[in-house]
Amino acid sequence: MHLRYVLAIVLGLACPATAEELRIGTDPTFAPYIFSKGGGRLAGMDKDVMDEICRRAAFECVWSKASFKSLIPAVQAGQIDVAIAGMANSSARLKKVDFTLVYSAAAGPSLYVGMPGAPPPAKARVGVKSGTIHAEHLAKKRRKATQFATEAAALDALVAGEIDLFFASNSYLIEAQKRDRRGWVFAYEEVIEADGAAIALRKGDRALKARLDKAILSMQADGTLKKLNHKWFD
């Protein structure tokens, strides 16, 4: 047998099997959790967290982009295995999907932003991103709200005077104000019941949940999650 052929067989046997694919859905419009850089490359807390989970749990990350409100239905339908996009594990969502352990704790009250002198939430035209826990919160309070596909669209409407306030997470708005200099300010705050950001997966998929949770626990134990939270939120 030719030596080159023998080496090919040996090297082939030595190579590990191809990692199992993990189909990940995200909405890359939610910096600093997840956003698109030049060339459409993903970046942010969620990208770093998921890449590290895939490494530790022996998955190959396969990313796809979609609107936020379509992520949970896609998980339910089996079109993707998990969804990650700074998504809080709210009680309403837990009726539809399961969640992993929290990888990023809730960062305090959510915020209403508006132009200086904006009316209080109960009297204002409020904008909110559709499919979010903020939209759920406003619905529970029976407040009328205009829903937008993205946070950026809501901020555009705010600046244009189409709404008085925009309600969203403080982590997103603090980051957005660094880039958006159109005069809106932090106006009011309100607490939403949620533990923090976690990864959504299909109801009853205990094997996948155990595998992901094990990776998250190891990232907690060795300080990786703490470092990533400092990197993206400090």
Side-chain angles (χ1 to χ4, degrees):
M1 184 178 293
H2 197 283
L3 178 60
R4 186 183 302 173
Y5 183 66
V6 173
L7 285 174
I9 295 175
V10 173
L11 290 173
L13 292 173
C15 291
T18 303
E20 181 183 351
E21 287 188 352
L22 185 69
R23 299 169 301 165
I24 308 162
T26 194
D27 174 5
T29 62
F30 193 54
Y33 277 103
I34 190 79
F35 56 96
S36 292
K37 296 178 68 174
R41 292 175 300 142
L42 293 172
M45 173 72 177
D46 289 353
K47 179 65 163 58
D48 287 355
V49 165
M50 206 69 243
D51 283 349
E52 183 62 18
I53 287 175
C54 284
R55 187 185 71 79
R56 297 186 186 213
F59 283 118
E60 178 189 353
C61 286
V62 178
W63 291 86
S64 61
K65 303 174 186 178
S67 66
F68 188 84
K69 67 179 181 180
S70 71
L71 291 177
I72 285 180
V75 169
Q76 291 178 294
Q79 296 167 348
I80 55 176
D81 300 311
V82 299
I84 185 169
M87 188 181 292
N89 54 352
S90 69
S91 57
R93 288 174 179 160
L94 281 167
K95 295 176 182 178
K96 302 175 181 178
V97 292
D98 286 337
F99 280 92
T100 63
L101 296 170
V102 168
Y103 63 84
S104 182
S110 293
L111 299 175
Y112 291 90
V113 298
M115 305 309 286
K123 297 181 179 180
R125 298 170 299 166
V126 179
V128 68
K129 182 176 179 177
S130 61
T132 61
I133 58 172
H134 300 88
E136 292 175 10
H137 179 79
L138 294 177
K140 285 180 182 178
K141 287 187 168 291
R142 297 184 179 181
R143 291 181 186 162
K144 292 183 179 180
T146 301
Q147 298 198 15
F148 295 88
T150 66
E151 287 90 350
L155 287 173
D156 288 343
L158 178 68
V159 173
E162 297 167 8
I163 55 175
D164 302 313
L165 296 170
F166 170 47
F167 186 44
S169 73
N170 60 20
S171 57
Y172 172 81
L173 291 169
I174 289 169
E175 183 69 20
Q177 198 182 53
K178 296 176 184 178
R179 308 182 307 272
D180 192 330
R181 303 291 184 178
R182 292 183 289 176
W184 53 267
V185 298
F186 302 123
Y188 306 95
E189 63 180 41
E190 205 157 271
V191 174
I192 289 182
E193 293 183 11
D195 295 332
I199 303 164
L201 67 156
R202 285 188 302 280
K203 274 284 184 188
D205 195 341
R206 295 181 181 179
L208 179 56
K209 176 173 166 53
R211 201 164 160 184
L212 297 175
D213 283 348
K214 182 179 179 180
I216 292 171
L217 283 171
S218 71
M219 292 166 69
Q220 289 176 343
D222 66 13
T224 298
L225 285 181
K226 184 177 180 179
K227 290 177 182 177
L228 290 177
N229 274 283
H230 279 304
K231 173 183 176 181
W232 291 107
F233 297 109
D234 278 2

